[in-house]
Amino acid sequence: MFNEFCTSWGTPRRADLEQELAIIKQHQVKYFVIDAGWYADQEGSWENKMGDWTVSEDLFPDGLAALSKKVRQAGLIPGIWFEFEVVGKDSITFNWVDHLVKKDGLPVTAGTRRFWDMTDPWVQDYLTQHVIQLLKDNDIGYLKIDYNENIGVGCDDESLGEGLRKQILATQAFIQKIRTMVPGIVIENCSSGGHRLEPSMMALTDMSSYSDAHETWSIPIIAATLQQHMLPVQAQIWAVLHQADSIQQIQYVMSATFLGRMCLSGDVIHLSQAQWQSVDDGIAFYQRLKTILKKGQSTFYGRAPQTYGEPDGSQLVIRKTTDEQLLVFHNFKTDWQVFKIEIDWQKWQIDSQYGEMTQVQKTATGLAFTGQKAYCASAIYLVRR
């Protein structure tokens, strides 16, 4: 998929989105997702305007449906971002305290956000009109549900914990209502990149944003670690692309997405032909991994780095099925490690590869992954003979 957040950073203007769409439709991308900010006011308040859910006339002078139609005509599925459980301080709804979650009789306020009382039938009706009906009216096929703040220990009820439990169950009932009223919609569980990565929410949704660490060297480390917590087929991993990126950097972030669900973002308009070729090569490699990401089992090699900011060492993830093997290798800053993997070449053959191949040596008994450069990656896909 393509998500434009790390392209517009909260200002998704129609003209810019059309430029991005013109580029993205040339590549093997299925979803085109408009992230936060489509409802911003004239002052550009997108971080604190959640709750009213009115499409910005400044950003979308022809409305959202016109752009959604162009996305469909380009052969992609349009998507949009919501944080529907909260209201921001710059929204009208921030002061509708009769319908907000309370603790000790006062609205729960966390930073610049308050929270709808999801157990209130009036709130459910309001969100049906302003969320579900908007999805239907604009032919949206992908929904990103965010949740960047939380109620805390609980809210008014027979106990704080019981109040919190009821709120979460009411939220989940609303998500189920979305599925019923918008058949076939794909739903992403974002939640600030992490604090809703738990079974009941992941069971309700198609995929989850594994982290908001979109532009750090630690992306492959987090992606590998979270395979022990969630299925790769549900773990959305971002490859944020920049005009200044070397081919090696593009290969590094693209290879991280081989550990889950690939999401592209960033400066897609200004990438060179060579940069796009590297991205396309990564997409082509990724297309071969559908079965192994769904059905494989993973083994991890490497030690935990001393820091995620500038990680050192190396990491190898091997994912296997009966008939496939995926090997994804990342080098970090320094102190690289060597991994020697035994492979019976009479039973296995290399189907495809991606990335920096100078650090991979094929031997009579297998493959050796050795450190050659800082922050580079290699991926190899094997199939049974």
Side-chain angles (χ1 to χ4, degrees), residues 48-52 86-101 107-116 126:
N48 299 311
K49 200 68 168 60
M50 301 80 64
D52 298 342
V86 306
V87 295
K89 71 176 183 64
D90 295 331
S91 69
I92 297 172
T93 52
F94 190 78
N95 296 308
W96 294 0
V97 295
D98 288 346
H99 302 293
L100 302 181
V101 167
V108 175
T109 305
T112 59
R113 286 173 167 83
R114 288 176 176 172
F115 305 86
W116 286 120
Y126 177 90

Side-chain angles (χ1 to χ4, degrees), residues 147-302:
Y147 189 66
N148 290 302
E149 193 50 84
N150 67 84
I151 295 170
V153 297
C155 54
D156 289 346
D157 201 275
E158 58 189 88
S159 70
L160 294 178
E162 179 63 4
L164 181 59
R165 187 185 73 87
K166 288 179 178 178
Q167 291 297 324
I168 300 304
L169 290 179
T171 290
Q172 294 182 340
F174 186 72
I175 294 173
Q176 292 169 329
K177 185 177 183 179
I178 294 172
R179 286 211 181 277
T180 300
M181 293 187 66
V182 191
I185 193 167
V186 173
I187 300 179
E188 173 192 337
N189 169 42
C190 181
S191 310
S192 192
H195 66 256
R196 272 197 171 163
L197 296 186
E198 59 80 38
S200 69
M201 289 300 297
M202 290 192 290
L204 277 176
T205 53
D206 299 286
M207 66 187 87
S208 297
S209 297
Y210 87 119
S211 171
D212 275 358
H214 296 323
E215 296 187 288
T216 73
W217 294 117
S218 61
I219 291 171
I221 302 171
I222 301 170
T225 301
L226 279 178
Q227 281 202 10
Q228 301 172 67
H229 175 70
M230 61 190 297
L231 297 173
V233 73
Q234 285 191 286
Q236 185 182 124
I237 304 167
W238 285 38
V240 180
L241 309 168
H242 304 92
Q243 185 179 12
D245 286 348
S246 66
I247 299 301
Q248 179 179 312
Q249 287 174 295
I250 289 175
Q251 292 171 343
Y252 183 91
V253 297
M254 290 294 291
S255 294
T257 69
F258 301 159
L259 302 175
R261 298 291 288 267
M262 179 186 291
C263 180
L264 305 178
S265 192
D267 191 12
V268 296
I269 294 175
H270 299 108
L271 295 183
S272 68
Q273 183 177 350
Q275 289 172 316
W276 264 119
Q277 186 61 59
S278 183
V279 174
D280 287 337
D281 290 345
I283 294 174
F285 182 92
Y286 180 75
Q287 295 288 356
R288 299 175 179 272
L289 309 180
K290 293 179 180 179
T291 301
I292 198 168
L293 287 176
K294 289 180 180 179
K295 299 181 179 180
Q297 292 186 326
S298 296
T299 306
F300 309 93
Y301 300 84

Side-chain angles (χ1 to χ4, degrees), residues 21 27 82 87 98 104 188 205 213 218 269 274 307 315 330 334:
L21 178 62
H27 307 276
F82 268 99
V87 295
D98 288 346
D104 298 329
E188 173 192 337
T205 53
S218 61
I269 294 175
T307 171
Q315 170 184 287
H330 280 84
T334 56

Side-chain angles (χ1 to χ4, degrees), residues 322-333:
T322 303
D323 300 314
E324 301 170 285
Q325 293 193 54
L326 169 65
L327 299 89
V328 182
F329 178 70
H330 280 84
N331 264 345
F332 305 122
K333 187 176 182 180

Side-chain angles (χ1 to χ4, degrees), residues 19-49:
Q19 280 188 289
E20 294 154 20
L21 178 62
I23 299 295
I24 291 298
K25 72 179 183 180
Q26 302 175 38
H27 307 276
Q28 295 297 312
V29 176
K30 186 173 183 179
Y31 303 100
F32 187 92
V33 184
I34 303 167
D35 211 284
W38 53 268
Y39 48 84
D41 58 24
Q42 291 183 345
E43 285 71 42
S45 176
W46 63 271
E47 293 178 279
N48 299 311
K49 200 68 168 60

Side-chain angles (χ1 to χ4, degrees), residues 122-138:
W122 184 94
V123 170
Q124 291 280 331
D125 290 343
Y126 177 90
L127 293 178
T128 298
Q129 290 300 314
H130 289 78
V131 177
I132 298 178
Q133 196 59 46
L134 185 145
L135 297 173
K136 294 169 68 69
D137 290 346
N138 294 280

Side-chain angles (χ1 to χ4, degrees), residues 310-327:
E310 294 186 349
D312 56 3
S314 304
Q315 170 184 287
L316 175 64
V317 180
I318 300 179
R319 189 165 180 82
K320 292 183 180 181
T321 65
T322 303
D323 300 314
E324 301 170 285
Q325 293 193 54
L326 169 65
L327 299 89

